[in-house]
Each structure stands twice: as structure tokens, then as C-alpha cells.
Amino acid sequence: QVQLVESGGGLVQAGGSLRLSCAASGRTFGNYAMGWFRQAPGKEREFVAALSWRGGNTYYADSVKERFTISRDNAKNTVYLQMNSLKPEDTAVYYCAAHSTSFNIVATRPDRYDYWGQGTQVTVSS
């Protein structure tokens, strides 16, 4: 069992930055590929970014490429999402998720993930 707790959300103006954190507890954090997803009101949950358990492989949704960066610190059991040049369309609840895997892969589909956090709200004003 892995528990995930997101933090770092808030209200920011367009063009600003936020860094989300996801603290994991429970089983060995290093055995999990990690991902960030988001869900805006009235929309389906969508993939944002993913990171392999060793951290060497990353993958981003086209909408956030060159603006967002996913990273992890396995010693701190934490994964981060640095968000720069934020746009109003980035407004959503952001969720981190953990995918148990023996391979150094990334996962982009929500149904591949085994554990989810409760989410943190990000609001970008225009």
C-alpha cells in the first residue's frame, strides 16, 4: 500500500509558476513509476507528465511540454511537478499517481496506476 499526498497548489496569475509536491509513504517508493494527471470541471482526467522509477525516462502531454518538469527524489519519497508559464487552461485539480513496475518505464494511461493522491487545486487567473 502506498499513500500519496499532494501539496503546493494555489492561485497564480497567468505566466507565473508553481511547484507541486507529492509525498509518498508506505511501500518502497523507488519501485514505482510516478505520474501527474489533472481534471478540470466538466472534463475527464487527463495525463500531464510521467517519470520512471529510476527517473531517467520522462514523458509529457503536448500541452505542457517545455513548460512543466517532473522530477523525483527517492531519498525523500517525493515527486515534483514544476510548472512554469502557467496558462488559464492549466486550471484543474492535479493528482499524483503511482504505478508498480519492475521496469524503468513511464505510464500515461490512468488505468495503469495503482495508487492516487487526493489532489491539489491549481487555479490560473488571466
Side-chain angles (χ1 to χ4, degrees), residues 29-79:
F29 180 64
N31 292 340
Y32 291 85
M34 301 298 294
W36 286 95
F37 292 78
R38 66 188 182 187
Q39 188 166 18
K43 295 187 177 181
E44 293 187 352
R45 189 168 298 189
E46 66 172 355
F47 167 76
V48 175
L51 180 66
S52 61
W53 69 266
R54 289 181 186 170
N57 295 331
T58 57
Y59 193 80
Y60 297 91
D62 287 344
S63 59
V64 306
K65 279 181 182 177
E66 308 300 329
R67 299 189 299 122
F68 291 11
T69 303
I70 187 172
S71 62
R72 69 191 296 162
D73 185 336
N74 286 347
K76 295 182 178 179
N77 287 354
T78 302
V79 63

